[in-house]
Amino acid sequence: QKEVEQDPGPLSVPEGAIVSLNCTYSNSAFQYFMWYRQYSRKGPELLMYTYSSGNKEDGRFTAQVDKSSKYISLFIRDSQPSDSATYLCAMSDGGGADGLTFGKGTHLIIQP
Amino acid sequence: KAGVTQTPRYLIKTRGQQVTLSCSPISGHRSVSWYQQTPGQGLQFLFEYFSETQRNKGNFPGRFSGRQFSNSRSEMNVSTLELGDSALYLCASSWDRSRTQYFGPGTRLLVL
């Protein structure tokens, strides 16, 4: 079992829809959770950063962490074609020994 | 602030050669991490440098090495290149340990 599981997609939704992206993990030591967006042939761009459990909102993006279930989510409201990209979840125990542990990413397509 | 920069952006090498990639972190960031991204394995942690010292290393062979200079700029070197080393090599910088990391655009390496 991989440490971080993420559905690779592709996930195709119409413009304006609410998008839900998810990751599950097995390492209970993870405390720091991030979502990155990566466009084709570009480096990952940090979208959201959350410590421990709870919700965090930034504009159209909401990140949720449920440590009891080892489950994290990213919601995108009013999705736009420009949101089409690969979304990577990443997490860390804070100690840095293994860097960030990434999911393999979900390829999201927003249809105009 | 300028972001993380990486040079060169693209490289083509042949098996057995060696390659050096360069990364300049965000100003003020002292931690630099390197990752390898491939379609099959996703993003995998190579190593992290902080104040010119390698603090952590991922599960990669000794052919992969790096260093960091006093101005926090970092280089990674891959010796005796193999076909499987073809990948996008990403550098990320952060102010503290491996929590919130900001990525560069990457160097795409093709080994023929």
Side-chain angles (χ1 to χ4, degrees), chain B residues 60-112:
Chain B
F60 278 82
R63 300 185 297 108
F64 292 82
S65 63
R67 59 178 176 167
Q68 187 180 32
F69 302 94
S70 58
N71 61 359
S72 293
R73 191 177 69 84
S74 177
E75 290 181 347
M76 68 163 282
N77 183 277
V78 188
S79 62
T80 320
L81 284 166
E82 301 177 359
L83 295 179
D85 296 333
S86 294
L88 180 67
Y89 289 89
L90 291 158
C91 164
S93 76
S94 62
W95 178 79
D96 54 10
R97 303 204 71 172
S98 311
R99 297 171 191 174
T100 309
Q101 297 186 3
Y102 298 88
F103 284 82
T107 295
R108 189 165 296 277
L109 172 64
L110 177 61
V111 182
L112 302 175

Side-chain angles (χ1 to χ4, degrees), chain A residues 14-26:
Chain A
E15 183 177 355
I18 296 175
V19 175
S20 172
L21 303 167
N22 311 293
C23 287
T24 59
Y25 63 95
S26 57

Side-chain angles (χ1 to χ4, degrees), chain A residues 44-104:
Chain A
E45 171 194 9
L46 180 67
L47 280 178
M48 300 289 284
Y49 166 77
T50 310
Y51 169 69
S52 194
S53 287
N55 295 357
K56 185 173 184 179
E57 187 174 323
D58 185 2
R60 296 185 296 114
F61 299 92
T62 300
Q64 286 186 353
V65 175
D66 182 350
K67 289 189 68 181
S68 63
S69 302
K70 297 191 181 67
Y71 188 88
I72 69 171
S73 301
L74 177 71
F75 298 95
I76 306 175
R77 291 182 298 280
D78 188 25
S79 55
Q80 305 294 313
S82 58
D83 295 328
S84 298
T86 296
Y87 289 79
L88 299 149
C89 63
M91 42 202 82
S92 164
D93 61 10
D98 299 313
L100 293 178
T101 302
F102 282 85
K104 286 200 175 178

